[in-house]
């Protein structure tokens, strides 16, 4: 019984660590929006390789900028 409880606790810890790692991998909109204009440019996104690669597909209105809503759709690969 105790082994099972330990296994459950370890499993929950591992799941929490993975979730925290996933959250840490995604930059915040504010950290990317260097000039605080409410948009992320391709130049601003260049600091994050994964976002830079995904930028074109996230830019749903094809204006060359990511709005907060467009950025919210960004899901970095683990």
């Amino acid at each position: 019984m105790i082994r099972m409880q330990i296994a459950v606790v370890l499993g929950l810890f591992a799941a929490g660590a993975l979730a925290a790692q996933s959250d840490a991998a995604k930059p915040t909109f504010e950290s990317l929006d260097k000039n605080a204009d409410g948009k992320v440019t391709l130049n601003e996104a260049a600091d994050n390789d994964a976002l830079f690669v995904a930028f074109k597909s996230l830019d749903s209105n094809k204006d060359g900028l990511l709005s907060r809503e467009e950025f919210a759709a960004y899901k970095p690969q683990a």
Side-chain angles (χ1 to χ4, degrees):
M1 180 71 166
I2 290 179
R3 286 184 186 178
M4 186 157 75
Q5 289 173 335
I6 291 171
V8 168
V9 169
L10 289 175
L12 290 173
F13 177 76
L18 285 175
Q21 182 180 19
S22 176
D23 289 345
K26 182 177 178 179
T28 64
F29 185 85
E30 291 76 16
S31 71
L32 293 166
D33 183 14
K34 304 287 189 218
N35 63 356
D37 66 350
K39 304 285 183 182
V40 174
T41 65
L42 185 59
N43 212 20
E44 290 171 323
D47 288 341
N48 183 289
D49 292 341
L51 179 59
F52 184 77
V53 170
F55 190 94
K56 195 171 186 178
S57 64
L58 293 169
D59 182 15
S60 60
N61 64 357
K62 306 301 179 209
D63 66 352
L65 304 167
L66 292 184
S67 66
R68 188 174 297 278
E69 293 77 20
E70 290 168 326
F71 177 76
Y74 175 52
K75 307 285 187 239
Q77 299 298 315

